[in-house]
Amino acid sequence: AQSVAQPEDQVNVAEGNPLTVKCTYSVSGNPYLFWYVQYPNRGLQFLLKYITGDNLVKGSYGFEAEFNKSQTSFHLKKPSALVSDSALYFCAVRDARGTPLVFGKGTRLSVIA
Amino acid sequence: GAVVSQHPSRVICKSGTSVKIECRSLDFQATTMFWYRQFPKKSLMLMATSNEGSKATYEQGVEKDKFLINHASLTLSTLTVTSAHPEDSSFYICSASLSGSDEQFFGPGTRLTVL
């Protein structure tokens, strides 16, 4: 069975500094990896995904993530954080098309002005 | 991009009543829809997977007689919380995917409060 670990409940970063939100996964077979962002009382918004191809994936709002197969990681990054990036971030994985996503517990990002 | 809507966005009901939540794919036909439940400050927990025209597949520990799911068309799935109790209060989120697609599109969620 697949699983996702987001080791940090909370990440604090100063505005303008780079940010990283960590994610590691476990699947059998090739992973399909996703990052979503959730604002208060809202549904999930898609940020980016890795299915195949380049290990560095670029997504919405300047976010990117790097797939590292040897470390089974898919960390989310942004070179320069904005206060508006403050939200709850979820990493998710699936192991085949049509199967439901398995989510990590989420990491709350706070960007301080 | 693909849009999924949910209705209502918020509902408050009395204990013992039933509540129906609708999930619609607005600009695509969703062969599969998923229902999740999110507790405060917690991750999304998959409740069930529904395929159009067939019975939903429930995750372990989810009562199928309490959480009735109907996927009558390729654009609509409904979740009915029957005989709701305060412990059913939660944020319910649906998502939809196309056949063969690797992506799920999420609705905005429904906040259910049972008094």
Side-chain angles (χ1 to χ4, degrees), chain A residues 38-93:
Chain A
Q38 185 181 34
Y39 296 95
N41 293 312
R42 302 289 296 276
L44 273 67
Q45 295 180 32
F46 171 79
L47 280 180
L48 51 80
K49 65 182 178 182
Y50 171 83
I51 304 299
T52 186
D54 289 341
N55 290 342
L56 183 63
V57 178
K58 294 188 182 296
S60 306
Y61 313 118
F63 285 93
E64 59 187 30
E66 186 166 12
F67 170 63
N68 187 314
K69 188 174 183 178
S70 63
Q71 296 184 4
T72 62
S73 67
F74 190 57
H75 301 330
L76 181 70
K77 299 182 179 184
K78 186 173 182 179
S80 179
L82 300 173
V83 172
S84 58
D85 293 330
S86 299
L88 189 57
Y89 290 80
F90 289 99
C91 181
V93 66

Side-chain angles (χ1 to χ4, degrees), chain B residues 26-45:
Chain B
L26 298 185
D27 51 2
F28 68 103
Q29 293 185 325
T31 50
T32 305
M33 288 187 170
F34 305 92
W35 286 95
Y36 293 85
R37 182 173 178 177
Q38 185 180 28
F39 293 97
K41 299 184 180 181
K42 297 288 187 182
S43 186
L44 281 73
M45 292 174 50

Side-chain angles (χ1 to χ4, degrees), chain B residues 3-14:
Chain B
V3 178
V4 175
S5 69
Q6 279 184 241
H7 178 80
S9 58
R10 291 178 177 269
V11 57
I12 301 172
C13 69
K14 294 181 179 180

Side-chain angles (χ1 to χ4, degrees), chain A residues 4-17:
Chain A
V4 176
Q6 291 182 243
E8 304 154 316
D9 290 336
Q10 174 95 28
V11 169
N12 298 319
V13 65
E15 187 176 31
N17 283 2

Side-chain angles (χ1 to χ4, degrees), chain A residues 34 38 41 43 49 94 97 104, chain B residues 38 43 100 102 104 108 111:
Chain A
F34 301 79
Q38 185 181 34
N41 293 312
K49 65 182 178 182
R94 71 200 310 181
R97 291 187 172 187
Chain B
Q38 185 180 28
S43 186
D102 52 41
Q104 288 177 218
R111 169 91 42 209

Side-chain angles (χ1 to χ4, degrees), chain B residues 31-72:
Chain B
T31 50
T32 305
M33 288 187 170
F34 305 92
W35 286 95
Y36 293 85
R37 182 173 178 177
Q38 185 180 28
F39 293 97
K41 299 184 180 181
K42 297 288 187 182
S43 186
L44 281 73
M45 292 174 50
L46 179 66
M47 298 174 67
T49 302
S50 75
N51 292 295
E52 186 265 339
S54 61
K55 290 183 178 180
T57 302
Y58 289 82
E59 296 298 299
Q60 192 173 11
V62 178
E63 299 175 60
K64 63 181 180 180
D65 293 331
K66 180 168 186 61
F67 298 100
L68 301 177
I69 292 173
N70 183 281
H71 192 165

